[in-house]
Amino acid sequence: MKLEVLDREYMYPGHVACPGCGAAIAMRFLLKTLGEKVIMVLPACCWSVIAGPYPQSTLKIPVIHSAFETGGAVATGVRAALDIQGDTETMVVTWAGDGGTFDIGFQALSGAVERNENFIYVCYDNEAYMNTGVQRSSSTPYGAWTTTTPGREWKKMRKKNIVEALVAHRIPYAATANIAFPEDLVTKVKKARDTKGSRFLHIFATCPTGWRIPSEMSVRIARMAVQTNIFPLYEVEDGVRYTINYKPKEFPVKEYFHLQGRFQHLTDEDLDHIQDMVNEDWQLLLRKAGERTP
Amino acid sequence: MKRVLEGSQAVAEAVRLSRVAVISAYPITPQTHIVETLSDFCAQGKMNARFLRVESEHSALASLIGAATTGVRAFTATSGQGLALMHEVLHWTSGARLPIVMAEVNRALAPGWNIWIDQTDSLAQRDTGWIQFYCESGQEVLDTVIQSYRLGEEVNMPVMVVLDAFFLSHTYEPVDVPEQEEVDRFLPPFVPKFKADPAAPCAFGPLVPPAAYMEMRHSMAQAMEEALRCYPAMEEAFEGLFGRRYGMVEAVHCEGSDIVLVTTGTVTSTCRQVLEELRGKGEKVGLLKLRMFRPFPTDEIRRHLGGAKKVAVIDRNFSFGASGIFAQEIRAALCNEPGHPPVFGFVAGIGGRDVTADTLKGIYEHVKAKESPDRESVWVGLQEVRNEA
Amino acid sequence: MEKRNDTAKTSLLILPRTFTSTEANKTGSWRYLRPRYEEKTSPCSNACPAGEDIARIEMLAEEGLFKEAWETILRENPFPAICGRVCFHPCEGRCNRKEFDEAVAIHQIERFLADTARKNDSKPVIVGRNEKRPEKIAIAGAGPAGLAAAYFLTRLGYGCEIFEAREEAGGILRWGIPPYRLPLDVLQAEIARIQDLGIPIRTGTPLGPSFLSEARGKYAAVFLGCGHSRPRGLGIPGEDLEGVEEGLPFLASIRRGDMPKISGPVAVVGGGNSAVDVARSVARLGGESWILYRRRREDMPAFETEILQALEEGVKIRELLAPVRLERKNGRFVFTLQPMRVDGKDVDGRGRIVPDGDVETMEFAKVFKAIGEEAGEDWYRPPAEDRDVLRLSNCTVSMKPGLPVLVYGGDLAASLKSVVHAVASAKEGAIALDILFREGRENLSGGLLKCRVGEGPSLSMEIHLGGPRGRRSSHIVSYSEINADYFQMAPRITQPRLLPEERLKGFDEIDLRISANLAIREAGRCFNCGLCNQCDNCFLFCPDMSIHRGEGGTDRWIDYDYCKGCGLCAAECPRNAMVLEEEKGS
């Protein structure tokens, strides 16, 4: 595929992401779209490590590492400081994992978005606390094994719908994206770049280590999440205008689950139940987007 | 120009005069008058600053981490619970070497809810790497905020300017508010030694392995020592422009006194009165006002207390299982001095209870009557409590 | 104002702030799997007897590089305009796209490219060897095999001379295929391009059996591509009655421009392409065509599309009817026919037929025999295999002492009688001669093996000439190795074609040209199995910035200093142009 992105890299090789890391791919796409006029706020997440141990940095942009729960707040301050210095060109981007977004950082994110702070918040979602060793987050999907939902205690709650939570703030732009759909991802990063106020990108980023899949399957699994409607690609403008960007053939969810070690314990009944939930969510989304539902 | 100002307003005037660019705060009694006044200044264009109305104290300081790393002068104010919530970010600020200044209105910690003066909130943060000043008056608050930016920026450490809830934050006093040009002469525009800049990209606060972390912490320790060294020159410059000086500590009749009372904050003013009264009666009593708590001015304390026969420290705070925190620190400062005086610890005025002249006189009489302390801390003015259960 | 921020104090500032990159970490040491670029063989190119580089051709066509695509065909086949029309395209039968939706319309794109080149009067750059060889080669027959042999041998540096018995070149293409399938001007343009290489074609020059021994002094080799022209008889009473005609001469007369008026029912005996051609020509001339075939319709050797078109045009087919005798009564032919039925299987896998009940008769105004031909002269036939005679896939090479090297090609030796097999035999013969002359007889088998497209038997002249195609692995890409997620369902183009009633009005070509837009879209359906089309997936999905591209994005290499071997590049290659292997020594 040909991506309309800058023919430059804003990441150095030699970073310590696991082989096949979806979050590394997502970062690369983001920066190749945004370019160098970016200050990045990086609350605790896998990327706190990937970004490089002192004295190394793997990113060619300035990065402000921050406390776990402060992604929305630190960016607020950076933006204010840039504005007061007359720099309206440099973009502020918070790059956080699902823990730092859905859980511990949700308050600061909600606050920043309620204030409509002028920044892009990107959540790369690998569906658990991966950096600390695969513990459950509120982004962990129903049915998943993690080190804190082991054995029969696999997660019995649904994944939090973070985009809807932000849409409830009437955020000017919120979108889902996926590493397996780079063109869509790049389009959304550009749209986010060109929107004023708070912008939220929820990027599905496979974690081969935590999901117990071979590294070369990283992109395929991400693609399947979209193809099965587990992770639909859509965007919402001003909290009201929904657009579904990709209409999949709605493959059954089974294979997606079968391929991943974290779901190996699920029975056919469990998968049927999950299929029902996925269908229900999809119908709900279709209704919001004003699409015909069966 | 002399104006009658609340302590909170004095803080706000100082922030304005310091040309702070980004203010971020979350309201909490009794800090609210500070942020309200600053909001007004920003709204009226009296200040060219962004006021960030964040959703928590944690975010208030976190947002300033972002702002200060991006190269601007930053300010916040909080109190009690709010400071406790900030705790993590307090460490982050000093570790990131950001010279942020905070006004911290001492407030008691819940439960039960208590909005009145108690120093435990700020003293609980003594190890977070912030410079701390405890102020006595509206004028001192104003001056200290301005001085804090200069000192903090010189050594790249954050500064907490502490004032008593209500007794100082809500009390009107005449305050000499200097002209902007005068302040500019003392405090030039902020030139950050480092900042996040796309033209010179680097990462701030990355993972630091054991091989490098310790040196960074040692650098912070050195910066605190440097603050002690820089302080006199800073204050000399301040005095040259404004005619006022405070010292890291202020010694009143310490020399030749048998008993020296050690105080902080507004209790000091009451103590000054008591001192005059007692000395009028021929008592050999002095007063040491402790203003700078971090870095701890050990040498100054030894110099002024080393000659006394007894020292009495009045703490409006308590470290549970130990003693009043100032008393602890002063004991620690003196213990390596041969023949140092015994240190009596008194805990008074907790949770906003008055520390009156009589309270202080009672303490003096207690110390005078004893050769050495019976125990580390004496709680002053405790009332009998009938246990309903 | 005092000076601030002086350096002495700044030196105290030891910050958690980075000042170098992660490039010092050679994360390639983590790797236990090693990705590597390796282009592979597409099944279509393997299925093409001429070994055309179809995956590359479609790639170029999709990019609108029509001339380059056409030249890529010409590397392996001198007749794109002809094969685009009359080839039975076995390539499409092996197309991986078939498993996804429908096979790519390879032959239509081939024809489009050839027609476009002709329309633009394009002069191809024909890749060949620069140095001339001393050996001269005579070619007997200017049919597809002979022309192609001259084309390949000339490119290899050999001087060639073609001898053709008839008055014009083209062989079966000129005389045996009706104009509605292959217009004359198309054929002539293809022949002219071969002549433009400086190859003399001596028409009206039949050769006799003595030629082989006489040629010895002048020619190092003779390529025999004389075709099959002697009709095989039905072996029934009455087959030589006046008015019972052979199919091929009838087709030749149409080619000459004769348009005999035919009316009434006409029998065409046979099931091959010639029978269908005759039947369809008869229909165009006003007759009512009946194809009589002794086996089942599905056993007919004629191409299925030809049969379907014949049916559209009103041709009737009677299957399982064996000719018994022909009689003439009242100016009409009475054909006695034996109904047959299938009983078991013949050795060739087709149903064995046995008589089934009583004979029947049918009356016809005219009868054509079109059951196939054999070699016109006995000396055309390849000798039996011995120490000096080597049977290859599509030709036979005789290296008997005292004679020039003889290559029997085309219909004389090919595994199947088709134009593309004629090309295949010519190429095989040309490469065989080249190896013989340059490297000696002992290297013949090995040399031929090296030119195979995939597992063969089709051969590539580009590989023989040392072109980049030779770097591809012989592994033939299967559908399961295609990352189908990168392809969208898209229907195959339908061939625009004259309506049956329009077709019957004359001998105009019935398949119409497709537009460039359609051709590009159709070429875009190609998976380009095994080839890198610079889609950038490997580059884009590399989490470690370890895929590098050269100037213009054409060249790619992997930086093994940093590649962790995650395998995403290989897994996300849509077309299996990479491999992932276990790291050696780890």
Side-chain angles (χ1 to χ4, degrees):
Chain A
M1 75 195 74
K2 298 291 172 214
L3 278 190
E4 297 288 318
V5 291
L6 297 159
D7 195 22
R8 271 201 62 190
E9 295 299 335
Y10 296 91
M11 275 168 75
Y12 289 106
H15 62 68
V16 295
C18 303
C21 175
I25 297 172
M27 175 69 91
R28 191 163 164 242
F29 289 151
L30 177 95
L31 294 183
K32 280 178 82 71
T33 312
L34 292 182
E36 63 203 11
K37 281 293 218 180
V38 171
I39 293 179
M40 180 165 281
V41 175
L42 198 59
C45 57
C46 284
W47 254 97
S48 306
V49 177
I50 302 170
Y54 175 88
Q56 301 175 331
S57 176
T58 200
L59 297 178
K60 301 180 189 176
I61 53 160
V63 173
I64 303 175
H65 288 267
S66 78
F68 208 167
E69 65 280 54
T70 61
V74 175
T76 299
V78 175
R79 181 73 267 161
L82 288 171
D83 287 347
I84 201 93
Q85 294 175 94
D87 180 352
T88 51
E89 195 191 345
T90 301
M91 288 170 277
V92 181
V93 176
T94 297
W95 179 265
D98 47 292
T101 303
F102 288 61
D103 294 341
I104 194 168
F106 187 68
Q107 173 181 316
L109 168 61
S110 172
V113 172
E114 181 273 332
R115 297 189 299 273
N116 199 19
E117 298 290 352
N118 188 20
F119 78 126
I120 303 174
Y121 190 107
V122 186
C123 170
Y124 68 94
D125 183 2
N126 51 29
E127 302 198 318
Y129 292 88
M130 295 311 184
N131 197 31
T132 44
V134 200
Q135 293 87 16
R136 165 223 202 267
S137 79
S138 66
S139 173
T140 302
Y142 180 96
W145 160 93
T146 67
T147 53
T148 51
T149 52
R152 292 165 60 188
E153 295 289 315
W154 50 267
K155 190 178 168 187
K156 310 277 193 318
M157 304 90 196
R158 285 191 179 200
K159 180 186 175 92
K160 186 191 280 182
N161 191 330
I162 193 71
V163 171
E164 292 306 314
L166 286 149
V167 162
H169 292 67
R170 290 273 178 137
I171 186 168
Y173 186 68
T176 63
N178 184 304
I179 56 158
F181 293 80
E183 285 142 317
D184 177 76
L185 193 156
V186 164
T187 304
K188 284 167 175 171
V189 173
K190 285 181 182 168
K191 205 156 174 181
R193 177 193 65 195
D194 299 337
T195 304
K196 276 238 165 282
S198 298
R199 294 144 273 168
F200 181 79
L201 293 176
H202 181 200
I203 305 182
F204 191 87
T206 330
C207 174
T209 309
W211 297 6
R212 304 297 194 244
I213 55 168
S215 56
E216 74 271 15
M217 264 176 36
S218 189
V219 172
R220 181 175 164 209
I221 290 288
R223 189 162 47 234
M224 288 175 77
V226 173
Q227 290 170 333
T228 51
N229 275 337
I230 288 167
F231 189 86
L233 293 178
Y234 71 106
E235 57 192 345
V236 189
E237 288 160 280
D238 298 320
V240 285
R241 287 191 303 284
Y242 281 71
T243 309
I244 297 174
N245 309 101
Y246 180 85
K247 292 276 179 49
K249 290 205 200 77
E250 301 182 31
F251 293 142
V253 299
K254 274 203 172 86
E255 199 193 345
Y256 174 83
F257 285 84
H258 283 325
L259 285 171
Q260 299 180 52
R262 62 175 172 157
F263 296 122
Q264 285 313 297
H265 50 273
L266 298 178
T267 63
D268 283 349
E269 293 79 58
D270 295 330
L271 291 176
D272 288 343
H273 180 49
I274 289 170
Q275 182 72 62
D276 289 344
M277 290 193 284
V278 167
N279 292 350
E280 186 186 67
D281 286 349
W282 175 244
Q283 296 308 321
L284 191 61
L285 180 61
L286 284 174
R287 281 204 292 281
K288 285 176 182 165
E291 305 262 357
R292 219 152 41 87
T293 55
Chain B
M1 190 180 73
K2 286 245 181 195
R3 291 165 57 194
V4 176
L5 296 177
E6 251 189 348
S8 295
Q9 291 167 337
V11 169
E13 290 293 347
V15 170
R16 175 180 66 77
L17 290 166
S18 300
R19 296 190 186 275
V20 166
V22 175
I23 301 162
S24 185
Y26 184 80
I28 181 170
T29 304
Q31 151 265 36
T32 43
H33 288 189
I34 300 174
V35 295
E36 284 167 6
T37 312
L38 285 170
S39 289
D40 258 3
F41 286 172
C42 291
Q44 292 172 31
K46 286 185 180 169
M47 280 182 84
N48 179 27
R50 294 292 158 119
F51 193 107
L52 308 177
R53 294 152 185 96
V54 291
E55 80 297 331
S56 73
E57 286 89 353
H58 196 280
S59 284
L61 189 53
S63 61
L64 295 189
I65 300 274
T69 309
T70 312
V72 299
R73 203 167 267 161
F75 176 82
T76 188
T78 192
S79 190
Q81 306 295 132
L83 185 68
L85 181 60
M86 275 185 188
H87 177 75
E88 180 198 22
V89 202
L90 293 173
H91 281 286
W92 200 287
T93 314
S94 58
R97 307 297 299 272
L98 299 171
I100 294 167
V101 172
M102 169 197 297
E104 164 17 56
V105 186
N106 275 142
R107 164 181 158 166
L109 289 159
W113 288 118
N114 179 304
I115 58 174
W116 296 275
I117 164 86
D118 186 311
Q119 297 166 323
T120 308
D121 59 347
S122 59
L123 288 171
Q125 308 299 345
R126 65 173 190 183
D127 299 335
T128 57
W130 284 61
I131 293 169
Q132 285 194 356
F133 289 110
Y134 286 79
C135 297
E136 183 188 354
S137 68
Q139 185 69 57
E140 187 180 347
V141 160
L142 184 143
D143 292 346
T144 305
V145 167
I146 295 168
Q147 290 178 344
S148 293
Y149 277 108
R150 177 154 158 171
L151 184 67
E153 287 166 15
E154 197 152 358
V155 299
N156 271 94
M157 292 300 270
V159 187
M160 201 180 283
V161 177
V162 185
L163 56 157
D164 294 6
F166 299 107
F167 293 131
L168 189 44
S169 65
H170 287 59
T171 303
Y172 283 85
E173 292 175 88
V175 176
D176 187 353
V177 181
E179 294 303 316
Q180 182 69 60
E181 302 79 63
E182 292 175 296
V183 175
D184 287 349
R185 251 174 288 166
F186 175 73
L187 181 67
F190 180 43
V191 180
K193 297 190 190 94
F194 54 84
K195 70 172 196 170
D197 179 3
C202 62
F204 294 90
L207 179 73
V208 179
Y213 183 83
M214 197 163 164
E215 283 68 25
M216 289 170 193
R217 293 285 136 169
H218 182 239
S219 169
M220 289 164 67
Q222 284 181 308
M224 281 298 199
E225 284 175 26
E226 185 64 17
L228 284 176
R229 274 196 297 277
C230 293
Y231 185 89
M234 179 276 292
E235 231 188 9
E236 205 165 301
F238 189 86
E239 189 183 18
L241 283 160
F242 305 105
R244 294 183 291 274
R245 97 178 277 152
Y246 300 94
M248 292 181 262
V249 296
E250 182 189 346
V252 186
H253 303 306
C254 286
E255 216 164 316
S257 287
D258 292 338
I259 295 173
V260 177
L261 300 174
V262 180
T263 59
T264 50
T266 53
V267 172
T268 310
S269 298
T270 315
C271 202
R272 286 183 203 272
Q273 275 186 7
V274 172
L275 201 68
E276 290 314 307
E277 194 185 324
L278 291 174
R279 288 185 71 85
K281 291 178 184 162
E283 298 292 328
K284 287 179 159 182
V285 58
L287 164 67
L288 186 75
K289 170 185 158 187
L290 184 60
R291 173 169 135 82
M292 185 192 239
F293 175 64
R294 278 293 180 272
F296 199 63
T298 306
D299 290 346
E300 294 277 303
I301 284 163
R302 284 180 184 164
R303 187 154 63 85
H304 293 297
L305 297 182
K309 292 202 171 75
K310 294 172 195 169
V311 173
V313 182
I314 292 121
D315 272 297
R316 221 167 189 169
N317 61 76
F318 196 72
S319 173
F320 297 98
S323 77
I325 293 164
F326 290 123
Q328 264 182 321
E329 297 265 344
I330 283 169
R331 283 186 194 109
L334 294 176
C335 76
N336 284 345
E337 287 286 285
H340 65 78
V343 177
F344 292 73
F346 295 92
V347 177
I350 294 293
R353 191 166 296 183
D354 267 356
V355 179
T356 62
D358 285 343
T359 316
L360 296 172
K361 277 186 255 174
I363 288 169
Y364 176 74
E365 294 304 331
H366 180 106
V367 175
K368 194 177 171 189
K370 300 235 172 194
E371 276 305 307
S372 59
D374 300 333
R375 53 190 156 176
E376 299 293 282
S377 302
V378 175
W379 287 62
V380 180
L382 286 178
Q383 296 166 9
E384 197 179 327
V385 177
R386 216 174 62 224
N387 196 333
E388 296 291 332
Chain C
M1 200 185 296
E2 288 170 74
K3 188 165 169 278
R4 303 170 74 245
N5 289 348
D6 56 285
T7 48
K9 303 221 175 93
T10 313
S11 67
L12 288 174
L13 200 54
I14 302 171
L15 274 181
R17 177 177 54 161
T18 63
F19 52 80
T20 182
S21 84
T22 50
E23 286 166 303
N25 314 330
K26 302 289 193 236
T27 50
S29 63
W30 303 10
R31 185 179 60 245
Y32 60 91
L33 290 175
R34 171 181 282 249
R36 183 165 60 77
Y37 286 103
E38 182 188 82
E39 291 198 317
K40 301 181 188 65
T41 303
S42 61
C44 50
S45 64
N46 173 250
C48 174
E52 283 182 28
D53 193 357
I54 296 163
R56 168 85 59 208
I57 293 163
E58 308 311 320
M59 190 187 295
L60 293 166
E62 187 199 0
E63 288 166 19
L65 298 169
F66 297 148
K67 179 166 187 276
E68 289 79 356
W70 176 60
E71 286 169 341
T72 305
I73 305 175
L74 288 174
R75 286 180 195 169
E76 306 294 352
N77 183 348
F79 304 129
I82 296 167
C83 285
R85 288 173 163 82
V86 305
C87 182
F88 67 112
H89 40 79
C91 48
E92 293 180 23
R94 288 270 302 282
C95 178
N96 276 332
R97 179 101 196 184
K98 226 170 40 168
E99 315 284 322
F100 184 71
D101 45 18
E102 296 172 272
V104 175
I106 298 167
H107 75 287
Q108 291 183 44
I109 297 163
E110 182 173 39
R111 178 186 156 183
F112 166 82
L113 294 169
D115 289 357
T116 302
R118 185 165 167 229
K119 195 181 78 181
N120 297 338
D121 201 17
S122 298
K123 296 282 172 265
V125 175
I126 293 175
V127 183
R129 203 178 272 145
N130 287 327
E131 78 271 24
K132 294 282 164 240
R133 294 290 309 174
E135 297 88 351
K136 296 273 175 280
I137 293 160
I139 290 157
L147 290 167
Y151 171 80
F152 290 123
L153 287 163
T154 303
R155 284 171 58 195
L156 292 171
Y158 297 92
C160 294
E161 199 171 356
I162 306 179
F163 299 94
E164 168 59 46
R166 301 181 85 144
E167 66 275 26
E168 275 181 56
I172 190 78
L173 303 170
R174 177 67 183 88
W175 308 112
I177 295 180
Y180 62 84
R181 281 177 63 201
L182 178 61
L184 190 56
D185 60 317
V186 172
L187 171 65
Q188 285 167 340
E190 301 265 77
I191 295 173
R193 203 175 46 246
I194 289 172
Q195 285 176 301
D196 286 348
L197 295 175
I199 302 166
I201 304 178
R202 318 253 178 256
T203 51
T205 314
L207 300 179
S210 60
F211 176 76
L212 299 185
S213 43
E214 290 158 12
R216 195 179 158 197
K218 195 170 172 196
Y219 302 106
V222 178
F223 181 93
L224 292 112
C226 313
H228 282 177
S229 55
R230 188 194 296 166
R232 284 204 293 249
L234 291 172
I236 58 164
E239 69 169 302
D240 297 324
L241 287 169
E242 198 185 329
V244 177
E245 280 188 48
E246 283 295 337
L248 269 188
F250 169 71
L251 292 173
S253 69
I254 290 170
R255 271 299 205 184
R256 261 186 219 100
D258 302 341
M259 294 289 159
K261 191 87 188 116
I262 295 177
S263 59
V266 175
V268 181
V269 182
N273 282 314
S274 287
V276 176
D277 285 344
V278 169
R280 295 175 69 188
S281 296
V282 164
R284 280 164 174 71
L285 293 168
E288 179 193 329
S289 285
W290 289 85
I291 290 175
L292 307 180
Y293 185 51
R294 58 199 194 105
R295 295 173 185 269
R296 291 168 305 183
R297 200 199 114 179
E298 62 258 44
D299 300 322
M300 286 172 72
F303 304 148
E304 179 66 14
T305 50
E306 300 290 323
I307 298 170
L308 289 174
Q309 288 175 23
L311 291 169
E312 286 167 9
E313 292 163 11
V315 173
K316 298 176 190 69
I317 299 174
R318 297 271 332 253
E319 59 176 1
L320 292 165
L321 273 184
V324 176
R325 67 177 168 273
L326 261 172
E327 291 154 299
R328 194 136 191 174
K329 276 183 191 160
N330 308 323
R332 289 173 85 84
F333 293 98
V334 176
F335 214 153
T336 303
L337 298 153
Q338 170 65 56
M340 310 293 278
R341 67 178 167 82
V342 173
D343 180 19
K345 274 192 174 157
D346 273 342
V347 276
D348 61 2
R350 295 195 293 184
R352 188 178 57 209
I353 47 168
V354 294
D356 182 27
D358 295 338
V359 295
E360 61 169 88
T361 58
M362 288 178 79
E363 286 197 8
F364 295 101
K366 204 160 176 42
V367 175
F368 286 101
K369 296 188 287 183
I371 59 164
E373 290 76 28
E374 53 194 0
E377 306 272 345
D378 286 342
W379 63 275
Y380 293 170
R381 291 183 208 278
E385 205 164 8
D386 66 20
R387 203 169 54 83
D388 296 321
V389 176
L390 199 60
R391 280 192 74 85
L392 301 176
S393 300
N394 284 301
C395 70
T396 300
V397 182
S398 166
M399 296 160 285
K400 288 191 189 290
L403 286 173
V405 180
L406 302 180
V407 179
Y408 297 83
D411 285 356
L412 299 175
S415 56
L416 205 69
K417 292 173 188 47
S418 84
V419 179
V420 72
H421 281 86
V423 172
S425 80
K427 187 189 292 177
E428 192 177 39
I431 294 173
L433 288 175
D434 192 44
I435 298 168
L436 266 180
F437 294 143
R438 286 160 54 95
E439 298 169 43
R441 190 168 163 176
E442 63 280 11
N443 292 312
L444 188 54
S445 305
L448 283 165
L449 272 179
K450 281 187 211 148
C451 313
R452 290 196 311 187
V453 175
E455 301 305 320
S458 48
L459 303 176
S460 164
M461 186 56 76
E462 180 183 341
I463 297 173
H464 182 62
L465 284 168
R469 205 178 163 189
R471 290 201 292 268
R472 290 186 208 163
S473 128
S474 63
H475 175 85
I476 295 169
V477 177
S478 68
Y479 177 66
S480 64
E481 293 164 339
I482 293 292
N483 192 334
D485 285 323
Y486 288 101
F487 301 97
Q488 305 292 319
M489 296 276 196
R492 173 188 165 107
I493 53 168
T494 46
Q495 171 69 53
R497 186 169 286 153
L498 292 179
L499 296 171
E501 52 270 35
E502 292 170 323
R503 297 182 211 162
L504 289 170
K505 285 178 186 149
F507 284 83
D508 286 348
E509 181 165 30
I510 66 169
D511 282 354
L512 305 175
R513 254 175 71 88
I514 56 169
S515 70
N517 270 346
L518 271 183
I520 287 173
R521 207 174 70 194
E522 185 63 17
R525 292 179 66 240
C526 177
F527 291 157
N528 312 116
C529 300
L531 293 198
C532 172
N533 74 344
Q534 276 117 46
C535 77
D536 266 359
N537 275 11
C538 53
F539 167 77
L540 287 170
F541 285 119
C542 178
D544 295 295
M545 282 68 63
S546 296
I547 306 270
H548 296 267
R549 300 179 300 173
E551 290 286 315
T554 49
D555 196 21
R556 264 143 242 275
W557 56 278
I558 297 168
D559 187 346
Y560 293 111
D561 273 357
Y562 299 109
C563 166
K564 294 169 186 160
C566 72
L568 274 175
C569 50
E572 294 308 313
C573 177
R575 26 190 70 81
N576 195 15
M578 296 188 82
V579 283
L580 198 58
E581 303 165 321
E582 211 161 296
E583 187 69 42
K584 289 181 191 78
S586 63

